Amino acid sequence: MSFYKTSSKNRRDRILHTALKLFHSKGYFKTSVHDIREQADVSIGLIYRYFKNKEEIAQTLYQEISEDIFENIEKIIAQNINTHDRCRAIIAYYFQLTEDFPELVDFILFARHKEIMPSAEPFCAGKTLTRIREAIQEGIKIGELRALPLVVAGPSLFGGMTRLIQLRLIGMVQEPLPSLLDEIWESAWRAVKP
């Protein structure tokens, strides 16, 4: 994930990484710019040099993380030939991402984006999920999936994944998500296979 490969010596990236961790641990509304300043060990002036306010920090995080995820989903779709393998690989990707960067997944999937960034496009309407929906539609069109409405096929494939991620993030699931991949995938695939 290139977002986390940025150097912590780069002060702008340190501000973003710190903000993300604080948004995850304290919540967006309970995190102040001063909290970010203190944890990132930078001056308040430096934060305002890069960002107008906390909302712009959140928007920047959202845009950069969304772009990283989109690029990874595109690679997954390109590297896998059929809908079965693509969708399973997407779930595996999100599960591993949750294990490696829980604060990132929590922010991108579960933050109340409309409350903290009123002008931001919801993640579910963004290009990543649009691309996943296109892959599902293609699978339906060529008969790899049952002829289901997209609003049913998508949640049938990825609803269990999303719920397991949510439960893992709040500590209700103790085992690493990749260890549950085969079981959740078998269940999801049964729901949509022809």
Side-chain angles (χ1 to χ4, degrees):
M1 176 123 258
S2 61
F3 176 79
Y4 273 105
K5 290 180 183 174
T6 57
S7 171
S8 62
K9 293 178 183 172
N10 176 322
R11 294 180 298 181
R12 177 190 175 274
D13 292 338
R14 189 171 352 139
I15 292 165
L16 290 172
H17 290 229
T18 300
L20 182 61
K21 288 179 181 174
L22 287 169
F23 293 165
H24 177 68
S25 64
K26 292 179 70 169
Y28 174 82
F29 293 107
K30 292 181 181 177
T31 298
S32 70
V33 174
H34 289 282
D35 294 332
I36 297 167
R37 181 214 63 76
E38 182 180 317
Q39 291 292 313
D41 194 27
V42 297
S43 71
I44 199 77
L46 185 68
I47 290 177
Y48 287 114
R49 179 175 153 204
Y50 289 114
F51 308 101
K52 288 187 294 191
N53 52 34
K54 185 172 70 168
E55 182 180 324
E56 187 174 336
I57 294 171
Q59 287 172 342
T60 302
L61 282 168
Y62 183 78
Q63 290 165 350
E64 291 184 14
I65 294 168
S66 294
E67 190 57 41
D68 280 351
I69 291 173
F70 175 76
E71 289 171 11
N72 284 300
I73 295 298
E74 282 284 42
K75 287 177 191 171
I76 289 168
I77 290 172
Q79 292 169 349
N80 291 279
I81 299 169
N82 58 47
T83 307
H84 175 279
D85 294 348
R86 288 174 175 172
C87 292
R88 187 180 190 287
I90 288 168
I91 292 173
Y93 165 73
Y94 275 109
F95 278 2
Q96 193 60 54
L97 192 63
T98 302
E99 295 302 319
D100 294 342
F101 309 112
E103 65 278 357
L104 183 148
V105 174
D106 187 39
F107 179 74
I108 206 71
L109 291 183
F110 301 115
R112 293 181 161 160
H113 299 115
K114 280 296 182 194
E115 289 181 21
I116 62 179
M117 301 174 291
S119 61
E121 179 179 63
F123 189 70
C124 62
K127 65 183 184 177
T128 299
L129 292 187
T130 297
R131 183 63 184 102
I132 292 171
R133 282 190 295 273
E134 289 169 357
I136 294 169
Q137 282 179 313
E138 180 184 325
I140 291 169
K141 183 178 178 183
I142 62 174
E144 290 179 338
L145 302 175
R146 278 194 300 133
L148 294 168
L150 188 57
V151 298
V152 173
S156 295
L157 283 165
F158 297 105
M161 171 201 80
T162 305
R163 184 64 176 148
L164 278 176
I165 289 171
Q166 188 177 41
L167 292 172
R168 177 74 167 139
L169 290 172
I170 64 171
M172 296 289 294
V173 170
Q174 298 300 311
E175 54 267 57
L177 292 178
S179 70
L180 301 172
L181 176 62
D182 290 338
E183 291 173 280
I184 196 69
W185 176 245
E186 182 182 324
S187 180
W189 185 248
R190 255 197 322 256
V192 298
K193 71 180 182 178

